Amino acid sequence: MSAGPFTKINPKIVITVFVVLIVLLTLVAVVPVVWGLLTGPGVRTEPVDTSKTQPASTELDGEWTIVDGERPNTTAVGFTFEELLPSDARVTSGTTFDVVGEATIEQETLTAGHVEVDMTTIGSDRDVRDENVRRKLFETDQYPTSSFKITEPIDLSHLPEDGSAGEIEVTGDLTIKDQTHEISDTFKAVRDDDQLLISGAPIINRNEFGVESPEMIAAEIADEGELNIRLAFAKEG
């Protein structure tokens, strides 16, 4: 017998449809919130701030070691990449303050230098994202450190002694996840009292270092981004 216009609808079907609608509405409401928690702007390593730097009080020549530095010019290294969304693009940064290294300056020329970064402590402003960045992007369980080694002498003789900034050309080998590539860029350098401050933001391609974008529902990390560097050196002895 064919169903008439007043045939009863199966209650189980009604309940199922109702539950599905609730789930969909919940996802629509919750996903943007969760996504916002995972994709905030992060913590960026800014360039050297010369607003409070002092005239140089020590000679350049000698052995120098990376120190913590003083705010706003504390030692820090991080990254800044764009996250590409279907309808938006936002910038995300991460930073670590666990950086060690040394440099040798002879006749006002930086002849050797090495920097090592603890990748296991890179952080932004989102704990969940930090865990993903460390484990999935940089695989810090296997590659806990990254490094940079100067490969060409850097002339420092022209740097002002009054605490203002000068520019230096930096070339060296950057190693991330055991992949090494040469980078070269213009950095900012300041002789601040008894410290030497250096900062830069060279552009790197993450694919060259085996940093693969994690699988995400709606976002993709740009191939190129900044390596944010701010270092404070103090002379040994």
Side-chain angles (χ1 to χ4, degrees):
M1 180 182 295
S2 60
F6 300 104
T7 301
K8 291 184 178 180
I9 300 175
N10 190 328
K12 292 183 178 180
I13 296 177
V14 174
I15 293 173
T16 301
V17 172
F18 185 67
V19 170
V20 170
L21 287 173
I22 291 177
V23 171
L24 289 174
L25 289 172
T26 301
L27 287 174
V28 169
V30 172
V31 167
V33 176
V34 174
W35 188 250
L37 291 175
L38 294 175
T39 59
V43 179
R44 180 186 172 91
T45 299
E46 300 292 347
V48 167
D49 183 342
T50 59
S51 61
K52 296 182 180 180
T53 51
Q54 302 295 317
S57 63
T58 186
E59 298 296 324
L60 281 171
D61 289 356
E63 299 295 327
W64 296 74
T65 302
I66 290 178
V67 295
D68 292 340
E70 300 178 1
R71 292 185 178 182
N73 294 319
T74 52
T75 289
V77 172
F79 63 86
T80 298
F81 278 85
E82 280 192 346
E83 287 181 329
L84 309 177
L85 302 167
S87 60
D88 188 19
R90 65 185 70 192
V91 175
T92 299
S93 299
T95 290
T96 178
F97 300 97
D98 293 325
V99 184
V100 296
E102 62 284 326
T104 299
I105 300 177
E106 301 172 309
Q107 297 182 351
E108 298 188 331
T109 298
L110 199 156
T111 57
H114 180 266
V115 180
E116 186 170 293
V117 180
D118 185 351
M119 303 297 288
T120 68
T121 59
I122 281 184
S124 59
D125 53 359
R126 301 288 186 268
D127 290 340
V128 174
R129 177 175 58 194
D130 295 346
E131 188 69 15
N132 287 329
V133 166
R134 294 168 190 160
R135 292 185 176 274
K136 295 181 180 180
L137 264 72
F138 294 111
E139 299 179 274
T140 55
D141 288 343
Q142 186 175 356
Y143 309 102
T145 62
S146 294
S147 64
F148 180 72
K149 182 180 180 181
I150 296 297
T151 56
E152 294 186 11
I154 303 172
D155 180 18
L156 305 177
S157 62
H158 61 286
L159 291 181
E161 297 183 8
D162 61 0
S164 59
E167 292 186 343
I168 58 175
E169 299 301 319
V170 177
T171 299
D173 288 337
L174 174 65
T175 300
I176 300 175
K177 296 179 67 173
D178 284 353
Q179 302 293 316
T180 301
H181 294 277
E182 182 181 86
I183 63 171
S184 183
D185 203 20
T186 301
F187 279 58
K188 183 178 181 180
V190 181
R191 298 180 64 183
D192 177 24
D193 194 9
D194 60 350
Q195 294 189 355
L196 176 63
L197 310 177
I198 297 176
S199 67
I203 301 298
I204 62 172
N205 188 315
R206 62 179 176 80
N207 297 308
E208 294 181 348
F209 299 93
V211 180
E212 299 179 357
S213 179
E215 294 182 0
M216 294 184 180
I217 296 175
E220 180 180 348
I221 300 174
D223 291 338
E224 291 190 339
E226 292 179 353
L227 175 63
N228 305 123
I229 302 168
R230 186 180 63 231
L231 305 174
F233 289 86
K235 190 181 291 187
E236 296 180 5

